[in-house]
Amino acid sequence: MTIQKIRRIPSLYEEVVDRIKKAIFAGEYRSGEVLPSEVEMAEQLGVSRPVVREAYKSLQSLGFLEIRRGTKGGAFVCDLDNLSFAENISDLIRLGKISIDNLVATRLFLEPEIGRLAATHATLEQLDGLAEIAQEYADVTNPRDQIRLNSKFHRFIGRACGNPLFSVLLDSIMDFTETFLESICPQNKVLHQPQEHMAIHAALCARDQDLARELVHKHISNISTRMHNLQNSYLKGFSEQESKQESEPEG
């Protein structure tokens, strides 16, 4: 007998967080507006006041709400331009605060310099590891494996550049890029031709900083148009998911 894995069941407060975020995305609550009190929100959603209190605290930590105390206090919707990039890049795109074009532009600014630095700082062990990733990417055909290995290739260069802060920033960008692409998972289409990864690896092995920078810049540029087109599919997926949830009977 094989025991099946237990599917994670979201807690009540997470459901409340999700409902409130959707209301904010839909424009029902705007920046500076106060949400219903904990008691009122609990009545609206049919949950207890402690559940709402936990949800409000979670939304505050995420940058969605500001909790003010006193007679004129309450849970106020924050200026959502200031959402944490690393944790909320998906939400920022859904809100229209940033776009895939912004993400690509950030990568074009950051990653060529990371590639240039990696040409100097990458160890032989790191270069060997990068070669293995590039070859594995060339060998796989499953779109999800291609997405994972493409992300791994870029993360690996970040770790080889000699600047740990650049590596952290790139990890944050690739976290979203990977999630974004997996949510769409375009079938039978690779992100990049394998030769692009291999050419970058060769430039790093040659310790050619200028060539490495140039190749990484070209590499990112090649997907800019495609990423822009995929943004609509990404947002459409959220809309369809929300419509499906709203049509499902409660209970």
Side-chain angles (χ1 to χ4, degrees), residues 33-44:
E33 292 183 355
V34 62
L35 266 60
S37 68
E38 292 176 0
V39 173
E40 293 170 334
M41 184 64 80
E43 290 177 352
Q44 287 183 29

Side-chain angles (χ1 to χ4, degrees), residues 1 56 66 83 95 105 108 130 183 187 190 215 239 248 250:
M1 175 180 177
Y56 279 8
E66 177 188 355
L83 283 176
L95 286 164
L108 283 171
L130 198 63
S183 71
Q187 298 297 316
V190 297
L215 289 174
S239 298
E248 290 177 351
E250 296 184 1

Side-chain angles (χ1 to χ4, degrees), residues 22 33 68 85 111 120 201 243:
K22 287 177 180 177
E33 292 183 355
R68 302 176 190 172
F85 177 81
E111 289 194 60
T120 298
H201 173 258
S243 298

Side-chain angles (χ1 to χ4, degrees), residues 156-240:
F156 215 85
I157 295 177
R159 285 163 174 72
C161 79
N163 186 325
L165 182 55
F166 278 176
S167 179
V168 170
L169 290 171
L170 186 56
D171 274 345
S172 295
I173 292 171
M174 295 314 300
D175 282 344
F176 170 73
T177 303
E178 190 171 345
T179 301
F180 165 72
L181 289 169
E182 284 184 345
S183 71
I184 300 169
C185 197
Q187 298 297 316
N188 304 318
K189 293 182 180 179
V190 297
L191 297 174
H192 305 287
Q193 292 301 320
Q195 292 81 3
E196 294 183 35
H197 285 170
M198 293 176 177
I200 292 170
H201 173 258
L204 297 180
C205 290
R207 306 297 182 181
D208 191 329
Q209 295 184 15
D210 292 337
L211 181 59
R213 191 181 196 288
E214 177 185 341
L215 289 174
V216 172
H217 188 279
K218 182 178 179 181
H219 182 61
I220 304 302
S221 297
N222 285 343
I223 66 164
S224 60
T225 300
R226 186 166 178 228
M227 291 286 281
H228 175 78
N229 293 335
L230 288 176
Q231 179 176 251
N232 290 335
S233 298
Y234 182 67
L235 296 175
K236 182 180 178 182
F238 277 115
S239 298
E240 291 176 348

Side-chain angles (χ1 to χ4, degrees), residues 73-102:
F76 291 81
V77 179
C78 291
D79 178 359
L80 298 179
D81 287 323
N82 298 322
L83 283 176
S84 165
F85 177 81
E87 295 182 357
N88 295 299
I89 188 169
S90 176
D91 292 332
L92 285 166
I93 286 179
R94 291 175 67 185
L95 286 164
K97 300 297 183 180
I98 62 173
S99 67
I100 292 298
D101 288 343
N102 298 145

Side-chain angles (χ1 to χ4, degrees), residues 44-84:
Q44 287 183 29
L45 298 178
V47 298
S48 67
R49 182 176 178 179
V51 169
V52 173
R53 183 181 301 117
E54 188 173 4
Y56 279 8
K57 287 180 180 178
S58 176
L59 287 164
Q60 182 180 38
S61 68
L62 291 171
F64 278 86
L65 300 181
E66 177 188 355
I67 308 298
R68 302 176 190 172
R69 305 299 177 188
T71 56
K72 295 184 179 181
F76 291 81
V77 179
C78 291
D79 178 359
L80 298 179
D81 287 323
N82 298 322
L83 283 176
S84 165

Side-chain angles (χ1 to χ4, degrees), residues 117-167:
L117 292 171
T120 298
H121 296 285
T123 65
L124 294 177
E125 183 179 0
Q126 287 172 327
L127 291 173
D128 288 343
L130 198 63
E132 292 178 5
I133 297 169
Q135 185 58 55
E136 191 175 357
Y137 176 85
D139 292 339
V140 300
T141 56
N142 182 281
R144 291 191 182 276
D145 289 336
Q146 291 168 344
I147 291 168
R148 175 182 58 82
L149 289 166
N150 177 73
S151 176
K152 187 176 181 180
F153 182 85
H154 288 273
R155 293 174 193 272
F156 215 85
I157 295 177
R159 285 163 174 72
C161 79
N163 186 325
L165 182 55
F166 278 176
S167 179

